[in-house]
Amino acid sequence: MSLLCKLVPERCIACGLCQIEAPDIFDYDEEGIVLFAQEPEAHQQFVTEAETEYVKKAYQKCPVRAILLEEQN
């Protein structure tokens, strides 16, 4: 089973908590809105096993649910 992370940029309030928890995964555009560090144009990507703990922490900290997680079979 793998974990799919989706971003909802229109919900983002540029608080920075996701980048604190997972700096290798999340970054920001010029307005401070969340994007994926490795694939800035993507709105979803699969999370590696090594990244799962950090991405889950970022998901839990996001106050506006701009980060969504889905378990994939």
Side-chain angles (χ1 to χ4, degrees):
M1 191 155 19
S2 57
L3 189 64
L4 181 65
C5 181
K6 295 182 177 184
L7 300 180
V8 186
E10 53 273 9
R11 290 185 185 174
C12 182
I13 59 171
C15 70
L17 292 174
C18 59
Q19 192 179 37
I20 290 170
E21 295 298 334
D24 294 336
I25 310 300
F26 302 109
D27 201 357
Y28 302 99
D29 67 12
E30 62 279 346
E31 296 174 1
I33 303 303
V34 67
L35 51 79
F36 289 115
Q38 303 301 316
E39 294 183 70
E41 292 81 31
H43 288 284
Q44 64 182 24
Q45 72 179 28
F46 285 100
V47 179
T48 67
E49 195 171 315
E51 299 166 335
T52 298
E53 178 183 345
Y54 303 105
V55 171
K56 283 184 176 180
K57 283 183 182 179
Y59 162 77
Q60 291 168 345
K61 297 271 179 148
C62 183
V64 294
R65 291 294 178 243
I67 299 169
L68 304 174
L69 298 178
E70 291 181 10
E71 295 282 342
Q72 303 289 306
N73 291 328

